[in-house]
Amino acid sequence: MDHPTGGRGRAGTLARGCMVAGLVVVSVVCTLVICLLWQIHRTWNRTPPDVGVFAHSAATRTADVAAARRSSARLTDLTSALSWAVPLGTSVADSCRTEDQNPFMGPARWAPVNCVRSSVLYLAFDGDIRTRLHQLDAVLAEQKWVGSGQLPHTLTGMATWMSQAGGDQSPTVSQRGSTEPPGSQPICLSTSYGPAMQQQELAHGGLGVRLRVSVAELPCTPPADTGDIQLGGTLEKSATDGITYLTWHPLSTSAVSRSAYTAHRYLAAFSLVDSYALQPTPTASAPTRQVDDVSSCPIGSHGD
């Protein structure tokens, strides 16, 4: 006697096999389509403008020389005024770059090329931290650096604020209590300044100058705006598209910190960022910083 259920079983197995095969084919086709779309995405106007042409133009090079002179003079003034601190060197990363403002699907929209010189001066010191913070505040005020961003606008005030607020950035918390840092926890401060003559804080991609001052002791490494990539103590130029380095004299912040803490208790990092040239838009002339009449003052052990 025949068993029709056997035929139905074979038919079911065949149907399942066809279904699996169909799913495999669909998966392969979808993968190929995705790969094709990705290649189109990568090649569809993703090439950045020729940053090197703008970076090496006569106007940019003139502005770059002026920025180097300004940065050198300003950091030399700080070093001279802080005679109780020990200079450990200065790093420099000077580059022109652009970035894709539409990094996803579709044609790229490249920002105007912006040239920035980032110089970091490292100074080690000892002594009473309250006295030293007051001295740093006095020197910065004397040299016309004005605090920017959130209150408070001094290193002494920042130390008190962080100690009392425990990281809470509420202005009401920062305004109460003594103006002296209690000194009960390791110092790890960072605050930003701008020149008193600069009308507003330096915007991203805009022209201007800012100074970031960081003061730290073990176990903290002072934050520094080095203008390059520092991962695990390894120094690297940024490998992204749309960047050209004009000067690169790196110092590892972590390596400087380790060296400083073997002989001194505190380390200060003065990060001076000078955005000195900006690529013109089609409707505007090229803005570059004016060349100041400042004498060349080499600093640290690094030069261009």
Side-chain angles (χ1 to χ4, degrees):
M1 182 175 182
D2 292 332
H3 298 282
T5 55
R8 288 197 298 271
R10 285 193 297 272
T13 301
L14 181 61
R16 286 193 295 272
C18 291
M19 182 179 297
V20 171
L23 290 175
V24 171
V25 170
V26 170
S27 177
V28 171
V29 170
C30 289
T31 301
L32 291 174
V33 170
I34 291 173
C35 290
L36 178 61
L37 290 175
W38 176 248
Q39 290 301 319
I40 294 174
H41 162 68
R42 296 293 297 171
T43 58
W44 189 9
N45 195 25
R46 311 310 298 181
T47 303
D50 194 338
V51 176
V53 170
F54 180 74
H56 296 293
S57 67
T60 300
R61 295 299 292 173
T62 299
D64 188 20
V65 170
R69 201 162 54 228
R70 280 192 303 270
S71 298
S72 179
R74 282 170 165 150
L75 294 183
T76 297
D77 288 344
L78 283 169
T79 303
S80 300
L82 303 172
S83 58
W84 39 266
V86 179
L88 301 178
T90 303
S91 69
V92 178
D94 189 335
S95 64
C96 297
R97 67 184 67 198
T98 182
E99 61 181 11
D100 186 0
Q101 297 176 322
N102 182 31
F104 301 105
M105 295 298 293
R109 186 173 66 250
W110 295 99
V113 179
N114 183 213
C115 299
V116 178
R117 186 178 184 89
S118 300
S119 306
V120 184
L121 167 67
Y122 297 96
L123 299 175
F125 62 93
D126 296 289
D128 177 69
I129 189 59
R130 294 173 175 81
T131 301
R132 295 308 189 203
L133 292 179
H134 278 301
Q135 290 173 323
L136 282 167
D137 287 335
V139 167
L140 292 168
E142 182 181 355
Q143 297 187 6
K144 309 302 182 185
W145 288 106
V146 179
S148 59
Q150 297 177 335
L151 293 174
H153 293 321
T154 64
L155 291 166
T156 303
M158 179 66 73
T160 302
W161 178 37
M162 293 182 67
S163 177
Q164 292 179 342
D168 182 2
Q169 299 185 359
S170 167
T172 57
V173 175
S174 67
Q175 291 170 358
R176 62 173 194 251
S178 169
T179 58
E180 294 288 330
S184 58
Q185 297 183 8
I187 292 293
C188 192
L189 309 175
S190 182
T191 188
S192 297
Y193 299 82
M197 65 189 73
Q198 192 167 283
Q199 297 299 316
Q200 57 187 6
E201 187 176 353
L202 175 59
H204 176 71
L207 297 175
V209 179
R210 64 179 171 85
L211 176 69
R212 181 179 188 181
V213 182
S214 303
V215 179
E217 65 177 319
L218 277 174
C220 183
T221 298
D225 301 329
T226 60
D228 52 21
I229 298 175
Q230 301 195 12
L231 297 174
T234 302
L235 302 173
E236 298 179 8
K237 294 180 180 179
S238 176
T240 58
D241 293 336
I243 180 168
T244 296
Y245 278 87
L246 301 174
T247 304
W248 194 56
H249 297 315
L251 282 179
S252 166
T253 303
S254 58
V256 171
S257 299
R258 289 193 299 271
S259 175
Y261 292 145
T262 60
H264 303 279
R265 181 165 183 180
Y266 303 106
L267 176 63
F270 297 84
S271 304
L272 184 59
V273 179
D274 190 333
S275 176
Y276 60 85
L278 183 64
Q279 185 184 41
T281 60
T283 58
S285 59
T288 55
R289 298 287 300 280
Q290 295 295 319
V291 179
D292 295 344
D293 184 16
V294 181
S295 60
S296 178
C297 303
I299 52 179
S301 58
H302 298 272
D304 289 351

